[in-house]
């Protein structure tokens, strides 16, 4: 039931430059995602990010793009990222069944990808304070629907503390300092 760093992968969905300005609480969402990326790096949790039709929606926002390598970013056209062979293959290559999910928009690409993960035998964990939609009501409906289908809804601190497991983890002090300082740089 706990989120184990050894079996986890962080998936960031469509946190893109032309979408973010239209999304409610986008800055807070991106800040939480940035915190998750930094914790994942310290705890050797693999990261993948999607960009939906980047020619129109733009690249990943700079605050995250600078933290990702080119091989971690996957372009997609389907709302359900699992419909893209390149994302399916990247997930399979990592061999991790627990997928911690964050991104935009909660009621479209996040929802459809999470349901695709669930159907594909993965265990998605959706980070509520790291997902957003243009309308808050759309975000709430998406979280409710995912929960209804057996998806765990968590927050960023839950994920990071579960990844750590113990105060004896060598990364504990760094991650704890990051948590205490909040999601800003």
């Amino acid at each position: 039931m706990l989120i184990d760093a050894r079996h986890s992968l962080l998936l960031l969905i469509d946190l893109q430059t032309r979408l973010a300005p239209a999304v409610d609480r986008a800055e807070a969402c991106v800040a939480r995602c940035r915190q998750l990326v930094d914790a994942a790096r310290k705890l050797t949790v693999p990261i993948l990010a999607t960009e939906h039709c980047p020619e129109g929606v733009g690249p990943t926002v700079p605050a995250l793009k600078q933290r990702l390598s080119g091989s971690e970013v996957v372009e997609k056209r389907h709302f359900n990222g699992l419909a893209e062979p390149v994302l399916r293959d990247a997930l399979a290559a990592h061999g991790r069944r627990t997928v911690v999910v964050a991104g935009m928009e909660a009621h479209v690409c996040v929802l459809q990808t999470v349901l695709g993960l669930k159907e594909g035998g993965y265990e998605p964990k959706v980070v509520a304070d790291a997902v957003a939609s243009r309308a808050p009501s759309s975000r709430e409906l998406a979280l409710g629907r995912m929960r209804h289908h057996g998806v765990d809804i968590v927050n960023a601190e839950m994920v990071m503390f579960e990844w750590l497991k113990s105060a004896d983890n060598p990364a504990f002090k760094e991650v704890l300092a990051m948590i205490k300082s909040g999601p800003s740089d």
Side-chain angles (χ1 to χ4, degrees):
M1 300 298 286
L2 295 175
I3 304 169
D4 189 325
R6 297 169 302 168
H7 304 290
S8 295
L9 178 138
L10 176 61
L11 177 60
L12 304 174
I13 298 176
D14 305 348
L15 292 139
Q16 293 169 260
T17 56
R18 293 193 191 132
L19 175 60
V23 170
D24 181 61
R25 301 183 61 244
E27 287 182 25
C29 176
V30 169
R32 277 293 182 210
C33 290
R34 191 173 55 232
Q35 195 177 40
L36 286 165
V37 166
D38 291 347
R41 291 274 183 242
K42 290 180 190 332
L43 298 164
T44 63
V45 172
I47 302 166
L48 290 172
T50 64
E51 290 180 345
H52 185 79
C53 302
E55 69 282 358
V57 187
T60 299
V61 296
L64 296 171
K65 186 80 164 183
Q66 67 190 17
R67 287 169 161 78
L68 301 170
S69 72
S71 64
E72 293 173 321
V73 179
V74 176
E75 290 185 19
K76 68 179 186 63
R77 300 200 62 77
H78 290 88
F79 303 121
N80 171 3
L82 271 283
E84 301 286 348
V86 67
L87 182 58
R88 278 197 318 270
D89 293 347
L91 285 167
H94 285 291
R96 305 222 174 174
R97 301 312 293 171
T98 301
V99 182
V100 176
V101 181
M104 297 175 186
E105 282 196 81
H107 67 292
V108 183
C109 292
V110 173
L111 171 71
Q112 290 188 36
T113 301
V114 165
L115 295 180
L117 286 164
K118 187 87 171 152
E119 284 181 339
Y122 290 92
E123 297 174 22
K125 311 293 184 184
V126 177
V127 187
D129 54 345
V131 296
S133 290
R134 285 169 290 144
S137 60
S138 294
R139 177 184 169 277
E140 293 309 313
L141 283 170
L143 291 173
R145 185 170 175 202
M146 289 183 268
R147 186 178 290 113
H148 174 76
H149 288 287
V151 174
D152 284 343
I153 308 299
V154 298
N155 69 22
E157 283 193 26
M158 288 177 182
V159 172
M160 291 182 283
F161 278 112
E162 289 177 35
W163 279 346
L164 284 167
K165 284 190 179 185
S166 163
D168 295 331
N169 187 307
F172 174 72
K173 287 183 181 178
E174 285 180 88
V175 175
L176 181 62
M178 185 173 46
I179 290 168
K180 285 182 175 182
S181 70
S184 61
D185 258 337

